[in-house]
Amino acid sequence: MSVNFAEVVKLLENASAFDLYRVTVAIQHMLDDPKRMLAVKRNLRVGQEIEYFDSKQNAPVKARLLECNKTRVLVQNLADGKRWNLPYYWLNVEQTETVIDTSRGKGLQRHEIGVGDILGFVASRDGLERYGKVLRLNPKTVTLDCKTEVWKVSYSVLFKVINAEAGMPEDDPYLIQGSLFPPQ
């Protein structure tokens, strides 16, 4: 069964803090269900390359499975080599899409952005478009490395850069040339 997370988020937008807490408790009980853990364990083999979801970066992370225990797994992050002891439910064994798109037409939502994404915005001080790599997700802003400057930008003015790598010159990986306006 596939869950439409955008619909779930939309449904919970108007829930009270207490209602959200009750949903959290119910979900935690489901996550701790031994039957669910067993279903995940059946798909795992030591040495296997897996993916887990890092909520701080709001992005999937590639790792190698080192050890399976009763309720947790030991993995090694492929990018930095760090080892992490994670609960089974963090593992994306079904390769489910992790982006939750609830766009309302203006800007982006925090859950739509991950650390390392390339985003754009129009700077209010000079009206020029800028592009940068996400360094950090803050409660109200995103910290972007725009090559020459680091910017804190409101989520409401951000836009995704589509196929950023195709138009990036090698000497300036955050500047996009030719991808927004075709040559004439």
Side-chain angles (χ1 to χ4, degrees):
M1 179 179 129
S2 181
V3 176
N4 183 335
F5 288 98
E7 289 296 319
V8 172
V9 170
K10 191 182 291 185
L11 180 69
L12 295 174
E13 268 181 0
N14 295 322
S16 70
F18 183 70
D19 288 338
L20 292 174
Y21 167 69
R22 287 178 38 213
V23 169
T24 302
V25 169
I27 290 171
Q28 191 61 53
H29 287 300
M30 291 178 195
L31 291 172
D32 293 337
D33 182 354
K35 291 177 190 170
R36 288 182 194 267
M37 277 188 252
L38 185 59
V40 174
K41 284 182 190 182
R42 286 187 185 126
N43 293 305
L44 301 176
R45 303 288 174 262
V46 171
Q48 174 182 359
E49 189 174 306
I50 55 97
E51 181 180 280
Y52 69 90
F53 187 77
D54 182 340
S55 62
K56 186 169 185 160
Q57 293 185 23
N58 197 38
V61 176
K62 299 278 186 200
R64 182 152 326 278
L65 182 62
L66 301 177
E67 194 177 296
C68 294
N69 297 307
K70 186 177 179 180
T71 60
R72 301 178 79 79
V73 293
L74 180 64
V75 301
Q76 184 172 24
N77 184 318
L78 294 180
D80 63 16
K82 290 184 180 179
R83 293 179 176 213
W84 298 97
N85 190 8
L86 310 173
Y88 281 100
Y89 52 79
W90 280 29
L91 304 182
N92 187 3
V93 294
E94 290 100 14
Q95 296 298 307
T96 305
E97 175 61 48
T98 57
V99 175
I100 302 173
D101 185 7
T102 57
S103 317
R104 294 186 190 110
K106 185 172 180 183
L108 298 171
Q109 304 275 319
R110 181 178 175 149
H111 57 268
E112 296 176 273
I113 302 169
V115 171
D117 287 356
I118 304 294
L119 302 176
F121 68 98
V122 177
S124 59
R125 71 170 92 147
D126 58 14
L128 296 176
E129 282 190 358
R130 293 214 169 49
Y131 307 93
K133 188 175 190 177
V134 176
L135 298 176
R136 187 173 34 257
L137 300 174
N138 309 305
K140 295 181 180 179
T141 62
V142 172
T143 304
L144 291 175
D145 176 3
C146 295
K147 194 67 173 164
T148 58
E149 296 179 276
V150 174
W151 288 72
K152 281 193 174 186
V153 183
S154 170
Y155 289 95
S156 65
V157 299
L158 291 171
F159 56 86
K160 290 196 178 209
V161 176
I162 299 171
N163 198 11
E165 293 177 11
M168 289 185 178
E170 290 189 22
D171 61 331
D172 192 354
Y174 304 138
L175 178 66
I176 299 177
Q177 295 178 341
S179 63
L180 293 177
F181 304 104
Q184 299 187 29

